[in-house]
Amino acid sequence: MEVEQFFEDYEVGASRRTLGRTITEADIVFHAGHSGDFFPHHMDAEFCRGQPFGQRIAHGTMTFAIGIGLTATQINPRAMTYGYERLRFPNPVFAGDTIRTTVTIGRKVDDPKRPGFGQVVEICETVNQHGKTVMYCEHILLVQERGSP
Amino acid sequence: MEVEQFFEDYEVGASRRTLGRTITEADIVFHAGHSGDFFPHHMDAEFCRGQPFGQRIAHGTMTFAIGIGLTATQINPRAMTYGYERLRFPNPVFAGDTIRTTVTIGRKVDDPKRPGFGQVVEICETVNQHGKTVMYCEHILLVQERGSP
Amino acid sequence: MEVEQFFEDYEVGASRRTLGRTITEADIVFHAGHSGDFFPHHMDAEFCRGQPFGQRIAHGTMTFAIGIGLTATQINPRAMTYGYERLRFPNPVFAGDTIRTTVTIGRKVDDPKRPGFGQVVEICETVNQHGKTVMYCEHILLVQERGSP
Amino acid sequence: MEVEQFFEDYEVGASRRTLGRTITEADIVFHAGHSGDFFPHHMDAEFCRGQPFGQRIAHGTMTFAIGIGLTATQINPRAMTYGYERLRFPNPVFAGDTIRTTVTIGRKVDDPKRPGFGQVVEICETVNQHGKTVMYCEHILLVQERGSP
Amino acid sequence: MEVEQFFEDYEVGASRRTLGRTITEADIVFHAGHSGDFFPHHMDAEFCRGQPFGQRIAHGTMTFAIGIGLTATQINPRAMTYGYERLRFPNPVFAGDTIRTTVTIGRKVDDPKRPGFGQVVEICETVNQHGKTVMYCEHILLVQERGSP
Amino acid sequence: MEVEQFFEDYEVGASRRTLGRTITEADIVFHAGHSGDFFPHHMDAEFCRGQPFGQRIAHGTMTFAIGIGLTATQINPRAMTYGYERLRFPNPVFAGDTIRTTVTIGRKVDDPKRPGFGQVVEICETVNQHGKTVMYCEHILLVQERGSP
């Protein structure tokens, strides 16, 4: 769905929560094949039995891709991704976990190098079914200012 | 391949370069289905004709997943991912582009909160076949110090 | 396998039964990514616990695609699909269910608008391992008449 | 996005149009593997050269799954799928085509067998980039009436 | 389709030819992810430009899996795979090639160690659209003898 | 990783062992779709209950593709695959099994037909978590001799 929002329209503190998605063993297998990362932490159940978590864990890159993918329901034609900061994975994701992401407008910053644009920082926090944070990052958007050419 | 390295073993400035990988239309379709992000920038060739790049572009989350996945050839049992900083996508990836990643040890930092561990910052830079940077990030590792219990 | 059959060769009441196939969680995850339908009824195990079926259910479009796909073992060069009628999903498909399809020639109808062709209606019924119908539809074929140019 | 709508809330003639999606060769290969239908019309470019369309065509079951999948952006907790009628594929889909679906409320019908529910018929029409219809069907929803228990 | 054949029923020289299948770039990407083999001969178009074939080539393991998979249309409940001999890949498979397999009964051998069974050797030859052999192997079946317990 | 080795550099008896990988139900479903082999031994849990193994088994072509894929960590620019001999599957692979492959240099043979090249035979043995062999084959490499033009 397209939702047009200029820099001025973003409200610090505004928040939206995505649908949930259950991460499956199939997702982990997919992601290994997609990314080329077949490390035993993700792919070798026998190895994992001897590790602290006792089982295979999702790739961080997958938790990021799906955690952010869950938010991809609103297209703002006035915004584009500048980058991400402080990407963290405080807790592991296991097959069978159900995750969802909350996006909160964290702060708005002028962008002196890009006249007509400002930076909007979205705080993205992905939690599992126990309410534990499995992914945290700050998504930096460049957003057009109203009235800019 | 397992390559055991303690905090002391990392040398600032040391660098390795991965194999190359050609990103395909199939990868973009996969990633949409895997992440759930079907935004027209990635999926709608007609829409993209009217956009600045003129064609579909890879998802940032995919460039990250594959760019980092390319580096997954050496397992260090003494290191674990703490997070990523300054993730940027300075240029787009198109179907047909070939990318590879260079990993350089950027700096080493004490980690006062975690005795026995230090932080190693790997600078990850993914470039396309024209030498243009398509992904940049700083991968922060927690690495055990030699002689720590 | 090619099996040439003209309109006259179809016998009302003739029937064939396909091989069985176990539907897996991986199939449901695939289908979400393939179709772009990530509704929580298919993807969110936590949400589903509070729903009547208590667990994730297969997409109707998947039950249709696989139920019909199971029949794709005989190619008749004299027939083409005109469409489907009365597509129904009387019972849900869960991961772990094994389904198979029975195709019965239901009726034959002249096609006044297309000289040289007749309509053959295949009744397609997909059942699970408990004999419950999970998909029903009527597949309408246009089939060349013998001796038509 | 959840959009609660009772039977009374549907307005005949109301219409929404989905995003577009470019169908790729990868989608056709996926769908063959997902459905098990490897008929040469979809999979054998050499065979197709001698056929009327001159090239591989998408499976009807895929055009249906993706055409309907494109509409899966609004969840109505008061509605459930009853079935589909008059599913047709008037024109083929080729790799490279971009499709989108228009959903129009076609009619509303009482459902005497199910007190408290009515039937809403959504006309789903999927068109390609030339405006040609590639899929048509009538999606029958059972929708709760306002004030039903 | 089930076709019951005892050892005595196999006729040396009998032959069947499968449908054709066009190998796509998507298949090569899939196979890399499925097998974990991301060697640049299959995945790096830039690297391949400097190689004898000038382009990416299919994995041998994929040509084998698909070449043999094409033959999987007849199930003989009296036979099981013992192994394969002389697996060769005389010519490369490129994205866009169309392959099909011919299976010929090459010879029948007693199996002194397994009373009641004989060995049937199927010569499997996969050719591309130019008639060049891209895969050759001898598939050894253990087949029950008629009248064995 | 590139490891340049001439014919003379291979030492009979030298051996390396790959990482392990847990085979999942998703892998079996993938492989069916990739290869086109949907035989009930791999795909129909109900059918398999009545068979000797009592459950679905991996395709031999998959055990080969993944068993060999696990070894794809060292590229030798002086070697190319000539073929495989004596491919066997002594024990089945089930979903949940973890496999790894040992590659041992079995023998070195002159190749009279190809001056400047010799044949190196790698014995590839894939075992499951119980130490049982699930795949055996002899991989024949053509390797350049040192000093050949």
Side-chain angles (χ1 to χ4, degrees), chain A residues 21 27 31 34-35 37 39-41 61-62 64-66 69 72 74-75 82-89, chain B residues 21 27 31 34-35 37 39-41 61-62 64-66 69-70 72 74-75 82-89:
Chain A
R21 176 167 162 190
D27 288 300
H31 193 78
H34 181 46
S35 68
D37 177 347
F39 273 10
H41 315 73
T61 50
M62 179 170 102
F64 178 62
I66 294 181
Q74 293 189 10
I75 304 171
Y82 174 74
Y84 296 86
E85 293 292 349
R86 297 176 60 71
L87 175 54
R88 299 289 183 272
F89 306 101
Chain B
R21 176 166 162 190
D27 287 302
H31 194 78
H34 181 45
S35 68
D37 177 346
F39 272 10
H41 314 74
T61 49
M62 179 169 103
F64 177 63
I66 294 181
L70 282 165
Q74 292 187 10
I75 304 172
Y82 174 74
Y84 296 86
E85 294 291 349
R86 296 177 59 75
L87 175 55
R88 299 290 184 272
F89 307 100

Side-chain angles (χ1 to χ4, degrees), chain C residues 21 31 34 84-85 88, chain D residues 21 31 34 85 87-88:
Chain C
R21 177 167 162 190
H31 194 77
H34 181 45
Y84 296 86
E85 294 291 350
R88 299 288 184 273
Chain D
R21 177 167 162 188
H31 194 78
H34 181 46
E85 294 290 347
L87 175 56
R88 299 289 184 273

Side-chain angles (χ1 to χ4, degrees), chain D:
Chain D
M1 204 180 48
E2 195 174 297
V3 181
E4 186 177 67
Q5 282 187 288
F6 286 94
F7 182 67
E8 291 81 354
D9 302 330
Y10 283 86
E11 236 181 292
V12 171
S15 183
R16 63 190 177 97
R17 203 171 67 132
T18 71
L19 291 173
R21 177 167 162 188
T22 301
I23 302 303
T24 66
E25 188 184 58
D27 288 301
I28 297 177
V29 172
F30 269 147
H31 194 78
H34 181 46
S35 68
D37 177 346
F38 288 79
F39 273 11
H41 315 73
H42 316 301
M43 299 302 280
D44 182 340
E46 296 295 316
F47 165 85
C48 290
R49 274 195 238 293
Q51 295 289 305
F53 296 124
Q55 58 178 300
R56 285 164 288 169
I57 57 170
H59 303 69
T61 50
M62 179 170 102
T63 303
F64 177 63
I66 294 181
I68 293 299
L70 281 166
T71 74
T73 53
Q74 294 187 8
I75 304 171
N76 180 2
R78 301 296 167 189
M80 74 186 88
T81 288
Y82 174 75
Y84 296 86
E85 294 290 347
R86 296 177 59 73
L87 175 56
R88 299 289 184 273
F89 306 100
N91 289 285
V93 173
F94 304 117
D97 281 357
T98 299
I99 66 175
R100 62 173 68 219
T101 301
T102 302
V103 181
T104 309
I105 306 305
R107 58 186 182 278
K108 296 165 66 173
V109 194
D110 278 333
D111 189 331
K113 285 196 290 189
R114 292 178 189 76
F117 282 86
Q119 290 191 10
V120 172
V121 179
E122 292 184 335
I123 308 296
C124 300
E125 193 172 359
T126 304
V127 299
N128 68 15
Q129 73 277 18
H130 306 301
K132 286 197 173 169
T133 300
V134 296
M135 194 267 286
Y136 172 93
C137 69
E138 302 180 1
H139 180 199
I140 300 160
L141 295 165
L142 290 182
V143 189
Q144 219 178 315
E145 291 168 354
R146 196 177 293 279
S148 69

